[in-house]
């Protein structure tokens, strides 16, 4: 607590330039950085930080930019020693440096990361959460760093304390405080009060809380009294320095538009047709009035196959409830994206909030349904969908938080991948959650994991036989006495 007070300058917080505002960041600093994808990143502060002669930085951020933009610039200049993040995505600089042993990675579930930052700023040293229990996140088996020139881990994450509370296991997560925080807001006044725009709020309020010295850049700098006190998202008490950003590129990572053409399911021929069966069947799980979270991939296409009279409220982990269709050309907004970094619109009645709030409603069981994709599913309902060791290290993003919540979890998955079985006795990939799957939908059948006796085939694909399913399924399964054909009409 006293570190923030002792570092505060009790005079003007306004700096003339982004360069001046970051000038005292030092090598070895830990820095919390706001933003989600490219949305809401403090691009001017990042650029000026990258121009400093710095090394061995620790970045605490949800993700790390794209080629030539955002925090990826610091990665490219080899200024980062450790990245604490939930999703690194398709980042070539990260892949090369991490897998070659030049970069340390502490992977953290997205909701846990938001709460670690918020709690750190709130003076809470640690907290218990169900997210990640029984996975390599809690068991201490994730390779933080590889030995240079090999694919052999140099050291792993530590095993975390777990405790049973009221009959359920929880993992202890330590909070995060950083030396500095870089955040970006739409408007700010000279006292440091901040207002964010659209989904650009995301991780910025938590980063502002976590930093011992918080530096904010804004698009519009105004005098005290010009902001409505009721609309301020980050009060000035959290902000030490503020600067009007010199320029804004605001690159859109995934420009998605409504061109009026019929939406196409990815793939060709039979693969496309089978995926459409999965998506249409999954759409039948959505009922009017539901609050729903849809994962990336096939789940994002589900709303396009709902009956016109079905009204649902889509929740996006980066801070939206009630997002709507893709925008028409010319109406895209870089400050309005979904969790897949796609440009979206807002439906009437939508709400915007920060990422810690988003995961509070998830962990609190306020959503009725989440639909996720999968790499593997076990007969016990274990789900693996976030990493292929040594090959694909994208991160779990919000998946671990979603599956550990009371929300019903439905999984969509192609039954096999290039003749590789995916419905198994035991997942051989690191799991996202243990016993979390309620319903699995593939092109061959629908499996219920909550029936007495265990995994049960309750629907079968048109023209498919039980023997055909058994040949491409490693685990045994029960067959419902009322077995039906999958209906997608």
């Amino acid at each position: 607590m006293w570190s923030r007070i002792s570092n505060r300058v009790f005079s003007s917080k306004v700096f003339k330039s982004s360069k001046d505002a970051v000038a005292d960041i030092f090598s070895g600093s830990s820095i919390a950085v706001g933003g989600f994808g490219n949305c809401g990143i403090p691009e001017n502060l990042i650029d000026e930080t990258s121009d400093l002669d710095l090394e061995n930085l620790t970045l605490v951020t949800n993700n790390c930019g794209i080629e030539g933009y955002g925090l990826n610039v610091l990665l490219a200049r080899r200024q980062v020693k450790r990245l604490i993040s939930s999703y690194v995505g398709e980042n070539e600089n990260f892949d090369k440096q991490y897998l070659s042993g030049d970069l340390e990675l502490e992977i953290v579930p997205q909701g846990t990361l938001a709460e670690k930052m918020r709690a750190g700023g709130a003076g809470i040293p640690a907290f218990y959460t169900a997210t990640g229990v029984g996975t390599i996140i809690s068991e201490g088996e994730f390779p933080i760093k590889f030995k240079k020139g090999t694919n052999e881990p140099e050291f792993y994450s530590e095993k975390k304390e777990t405790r049973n509370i009221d009959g359920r296991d929880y993992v202890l997560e330590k909070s995060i405080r950083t030396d500095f925080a870089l955040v970006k807001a739409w408007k700010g006044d000279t006292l440091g009060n901040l207002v964010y725009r659209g989904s650009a709020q995301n991780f910025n309020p938590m980063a502002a809380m976590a930093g011992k010295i918080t530096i904010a850049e804004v698009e519009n700098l105004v005098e005290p009294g010009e902001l409505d006190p009721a609309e301020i998202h980050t009060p000035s008490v959290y902000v030490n320095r503020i600067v009007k950003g010199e320029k804004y590129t605001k690159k859109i990572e995934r420009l998605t538009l409504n061109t009026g053409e019929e939406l196409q399911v990815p793939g060709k021929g039979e693969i496309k047709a089978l995926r459409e069966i999965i998506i249409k069947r999954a759409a039948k799980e959505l009922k009017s009035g539901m609050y729903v979270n849809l994962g990336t991939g096939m789940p994002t296409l589900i709303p396009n196959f709902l009956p016109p009279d079905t009204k649902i409220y889509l929740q996006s982990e980066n801070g939206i409830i009630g997002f709507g269709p893709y925008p028409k050309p010319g109406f895209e907004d870089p400050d309005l994206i979904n969790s897949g970094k796609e440009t979206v619109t807002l439906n009437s009645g939508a709400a915007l909030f920060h990422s810690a709030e988003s995961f509070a409603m998830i962990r609190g069981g306020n959503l009725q349904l989440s639909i996720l994709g999968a790499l593997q599913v076990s007969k016990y309902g274990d789900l693996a969908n976030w990493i292929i060791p040594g090959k694909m290290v994208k991160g779990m993003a919000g998946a671990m938080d979603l599956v550990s919540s009371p929300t019903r979890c439905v999984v969509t998955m192609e039954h096999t991948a290039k003749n590789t079985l995916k419905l198994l006795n035991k997942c051989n990939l690191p799991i996202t959650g243990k016993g979390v799957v309620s319903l699995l939908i593939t092109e061959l059948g629908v499996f219920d994991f909550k029936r007495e006796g265990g995994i049960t085939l309750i629907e079968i694909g048109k023209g498919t036989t039980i023997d055909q399913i058994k040949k491409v399924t490693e685990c045994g399964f029960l067959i419902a006495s009322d077995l039906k054909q999958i209906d997608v009409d």
Side-chain angles (χ1 to χ4, degrees):
M1 178 177 72
W2 295 109
S3 60
R4 177 182 285 273
I5 293 175
S6 63
N7 283 313
R8 186 177 300 283
V9 178
F10 291 97
S11 58
S12 175
K13 297 180 182 180
V14 179
F15 278 63
K16 293 181 179 180
S17 69
S18 298
K19 181 178 181 178
D20 291 341
V22 301
D24 61 345
I25 295 179
F26 52 88
S27 290
S29 295
S30 58
I31 310 173
V33 185
F36 183 91
N38 293 336
C39 182
I41 65 168
E43 54 183 286
N44 292 284
L45 295 176
I46 292 171
D47 285 346
E48 294 298 341
T49 300
S50 71
D51 284 341
L52 298 175
D53 185 19
L54 299 175
E55 59 184 5
N56 296 325
L57 298 175
T58 295
L59 300 183
V60 182
T61 182
N62 184 65
N63 43 277
C64 216
I66 60 173
E67 185 68 29
Y69 185 66
L71 290 172
N72 199 42
V73 176
L74 277 74
L75 280 180
R77 296 183 182 182
R78 303 278 174 158
Q79 294 172 294
V80 183
K81 177 183 179 181
R82 174 175 283 213
L83 179 62
I84 302 175
S85 182
S86 82
Y87 187 80
V88 291
E90 299 77 20
N91 191 313
E92 188 174 342
N93 277 324
F94 162 80
D95 282 343
K96 287 181 179 178
Q97 292 183 45
Y98 173 61
L99 295 175
S100 65
D102 293 321
L103 178 69
E104 299 173 7
L105 173 64
E106 185 178 337
I107 199 78
V108 183
Q110 191 178 128
T112 299
L113 180 62
E115 194 63 21
K116 283 163 79 81
M117 296 164 73
R118 190 206 67 81
I124 299 171
F127 57 89
Y128 284 100
T129 176
T131 301
V133 170
T135 72
I136 61 175
I137 298 304
S138 64
E139 298 304 306
E141 300 170 2
F142 182 80
I144 295 285
K145 187 176 187 296
F146 287 92
K147 293 180 180 178
K148 288 193 175 184
T150 75
N151 59 359
E152 181 182 348
E154 183 172 324
F155 59 90
Y156 294 88
S157 58
E158 296 180 357
K159 183 178 176 64
K160 297 177 181 178
E161 176 189 332
T162 59
R163 178 178 295 185
N164 189 281
I165 302 174
D166 295 332
R168 188 176 186 189
D169 289 336
Y170 295 84
V171 60
L172 183 67
E173 292 283 358
K174 294 181 180 178
S175 303
I176 292 176
R177 291 300 307 274
T178 56
D179 298 312
F180 295 90
L182 308 180
V183 302
K184 188 263 178 180
W186 177 41
K187 293 180 180 180
D189 65 23
T190 56
L191 292 177
N193 292 305
L194 304 178
V195 177
Y196 308 102
R197 181 176 180 274
S199 63
Q201 186 172 176
N202 53 62
F203 272 81
N204 278 295
M206 282 69 67
M209 293 179 69
K212 295 175 184 176
I213 298 177
T214 293
I215 309 169
E217 67 170 75
V218 297
E219 294 184 47
N220 303 281
L221 185 61
V222 301
E223 293 299 318
E226 293 187 48
L227 300 178
D228 183 343
E231 294 180 351
I232 290 170
H233 296 116
T234 294
S236 61
V237 69
Y238 292 112
V239 178
N240 301 83
R241 304 170 188 172
I242 191 166
V243 62
K244 187 179 187 301
E246 288 83 356
K247 62 183 186 304
Y248 286 101
T249 307
K250 300 179 78 168
K251 290 185 178 180
I252 294 173
E253 188 167 344
R254 293 178 181 168
L255 179 62
T256 44
L257 300 172
N258 177 7
T259 61
E261 299 178 3
E262 183 179 353
L263 186 77
Q264 296 296 313
V265 174
K268 296 180 180 180
E270 184 180 7
I271 292 178
K272 178 180 178 180
L274 295 178
R275 288 175 177 168
E276 190 166 310
I277 289 171
I278 297 171
I279 295 166
K280 286 182 175 180
R281 173 58 186 83
K284 292 184 176 295
E285 296 299 310
L286 279 65
K287 312 299 180 187
S288 283
M290 278 186 169
Y291 289 87
V292 180
N293 184 289
L294 300 177
T296 57
M298 285 192 287
T300 61
L301 302 174
I302 291 172
N304 299 282
F305 296 93
L306 292 174
D309 59 347
T310 301
K311 185 175 182 180
I312 60 170
Y313 304 91
L314 292 175
Q315 195 259 17
S316 188
E317 300 103 296
N318 58 311
I320 309 175
I321 279 184
F323 68 88
Y326 298 143
K328 293 181 179 179
F331 290 89
E332 61 272 13
D333 186 341
D335 287 335
L336 202 57
I337 63 169
N338 63 15
S339 60
K341 286 84 173 181
E342 299 172 323
T343 46
V344 294
T345 59
L346 297 179
N347 288 330
S348 177
L352 299 164
F353 36 87
H354 57 67
S355 294
E357 183 75 40
S358 179
F359 285 95
M361 61 184 67
I362 288 171
R363 286 190 302 270
N366 296 288
L367 307 184
Q368 285 73 54
L369 182 67
S370 64
I371 304 182
L372 303 172
L375 296 170
Q376 295 175 345
V377 173
S378 83
K379 65 180 180 181
Y380 303 107
D382 301 339
L383 170 67
N385 75 346
W386 71 278
I387 183 174
I388 302 176
K391 293 183 179 180
M392 184 193 81
V393 190
K394 290 187 177 182
M396 75 291 289
M400 280 191 181
D401 303 274
L402 282 163
V403 301
S404 67
S405 76
T407 303
R408 181 169 179 257
C409 177
V410 172
V411 170
T412 58
M413 179 181 79
E414 293 173 58
H415 207 95
T416 61
K418 297 180 180 179
N419 297 318
T420 300
L421 304 187
K422 299 171 70 174
L423 183 48
L424 309 171
N425 285 311
K426 182 180 179 180
C427 294
N428 53 51
L429 294 175
I431 64 169
T432 310
K434 297 180 69 173
V436 297
V437 179
S438 295
L439 195 74
L440 170 65
I441 301 170
T442 80
E443 73 277 14
L444 299 183
V446 179
F447 297 84
D448 189 340
F449 287 79
K450 300 302 180 183
R451 289 204 179 190
E452 186 176 351
I455 177 174
T456 303
L457 178 68
I458 61 172
E459 297 177 26
I460 190 168
K462 184 178 181 180
T464 303
T465 67
I466 291 174
D467 283 342
Q468 286 175 325
I469 297 177
K470 287 182 176 179
K471 286 180 181 179
V472 291
T473 305
E474 182 182 81
C475 63
F477 53 86
L478 302 176
I479 301 169
S481 58
D482 58 345
L483 181 66
K484 299 179 177 65
Q485 182 177 294
I486 293 178
D487 179 16
V488 294
D489 295 328

